[in-house]
Amino acid sequence: MDQAKRANVVAARVPPHFFFFISAIFHYLGPAFAVLLFSNVSVLGVAWFRIASAAFVFAIWRRPWRMFVQMSWTQRRILIALGSVLALMNVCFYVAISRVPLSTVGAIEFLGPIVLAALGARTPRNITALVLAASGGWLLTDVRFSGEPLGFLFAFANCALFMLYVVLGHRIAQDGGSAGIDRLGMAMLIALVVVTPIGITGALPAMTQLPLLLAGIGVGICSSVIPYVCDQLAMARLPRATFALLLALLPASATIIGILVLHQLPTLVESLGILLVAGGIALHRESAA
């Protein structure tokens, strides 16, 4: 049994929800590195660092171009679309949070998974689960409609692109295992090509400063490599609607990390939000394959 098959066997033994849990944790560790960069690097420069460092890791780890040259043009178009979505999604996210409160951007981004989950919620039980999770996520994001109009434009663009990421991510994860990760790696290289004309200039000030350079690498690994790989492993075994509903855990995981790491105790409203999300996830039942 070769290395790829052994890796697939090991991954198949791990519950897919575990991979999503890991993704949710690192989804919020990445911004901790970005804090150091924001005071010295432009918003677009941070977006470039996130994608460039992730692309570099995938290039060394997976060498995805070997798979790309063997694909059909239809398969290549999916990867080109996903790479473009990854690039623009990250740009829109960072521009949005530079102009609008993060909680508001998170709430708007959460609308995308709600739509996808609604499209797959075809039983009264799952519709109820969706309503519970959506309500909990809304409470946890502590929505405040303040900020610049341009920020809202980028926030809604990020929401639409996030929906496309989930849809296209499931397309490349259909046969599971290492093949999906290879395709993800190639999509990240394509994303680097797309984002470089936009963000490379803003990243230049950090190129000669080792702490900033390491922070940029940390952003890419924590925000793009680990979460996106875990997403692929989860998407390969979860229906798209189920994965979209699980995204309701993201604001809940942020609150839990705040308790454990920052000793920030949740308010009564935040506690209620966690309970609603947990109730929605517990109530949801996956459709038969």
Side-chain angles (χ1 to χ4, degrees), residues 24 31 40-41 66 68 117 125 135 146 163 165 179 203 225 235 253 256:
N40 297 276
V41 183
R66 298 179 299 180
F68 188 72
R125 178 189 180 117
S135 301
S146 61
M163 289 176 62
Y165 160 71
V225 177
M235 287 176 175
S253 66
I256 293 173

Side-chain angles (χ1 to χ4, degrees), residues 40-66:
N40 297 276
V41 183
S42 72
V43 173
L44 295 179
V46 173
W48 183 88
F49 258 118
R50 173 174 174 174
I51 293 172
S53 55
F56 183 73
V57 170
F58 279 116
I60 296 176
W61 176 31
R62 308 300 299 189
R63 299 179 183 177
W65 52 84
R66 298 179 299 180

Side-chain angles (χ1 to χ4, degrees), residues 44-60 64-65 79-91 183-201 203 207 216 220 224 228:
L44 295 179
V46 173
W48 183 88
F49 258 118
R50 173 174 174 174
I51 293 172
S53 55
F56 183 73
V57 170
F58 279 116
I60 296 176
W65 52 84
L79 291 188
I80 293 172
L82 178 58
S84 301
V85 165
L86 288 172
L88 297 176
M89 181 178 72
N90 282 284
V91 167
R183 297 183 191 117
L184 171 65
M186 190 63 222
M188 194 62 68
L189 291 176
I190 294 170
L192 177 59
V193 174
V194 175
V195 80
T196 293
I198 303 173
I200 184 63
T201 303
M207 296 295 188
S224 292
Y228 290 165

Side-chain angles (χ1 to χ4, degrees), residues 129-141:
L130 174 62
V131 171
L132 288 176
S135 301
W138 187 263
L139 290 176
L140 284 167
T141 50

Side-chain angles (χ1 to χ4, degrees), residues 112-200:
I114 289 298
V115 172
L116 292 176
L119 293 175
R122 300 175 181 176
T123 66
R125 178 189 180 117
N126 285 351
I127 293 174
T128 303
L130 174 62
V131 171
L132 288 176
S135 301
W138 187 263
L139 290 176
L140 284 167
T141 50
D142 186 26
V143 180
R144 296 189 302 275
F145 289 103
S146 61
E148 302 180 24
L150 184 60
F152 281 99
L153 177 63
F154 278 100
F156 278 103
N158 174 64
C159 170
L161 290 165
F162 189 66
M163 289 176 62
L164 287 175
Y165 160 71
V166 174
V167 173
L168 293 173
H170 263 89
R171 290 284 297 275
I172 69 170
Q174 286 179 350
D175 55 359
S178 59
I181 298 175
D182 287 339
R183 297 183 191 117
L184 171 65
M186 190 63 222
M188 194 62 68
L189 291 176
I190 294 170
L192 177 59
V193 174
V194 175
V195 80
T196 293
I198 303 173
I200 184 63

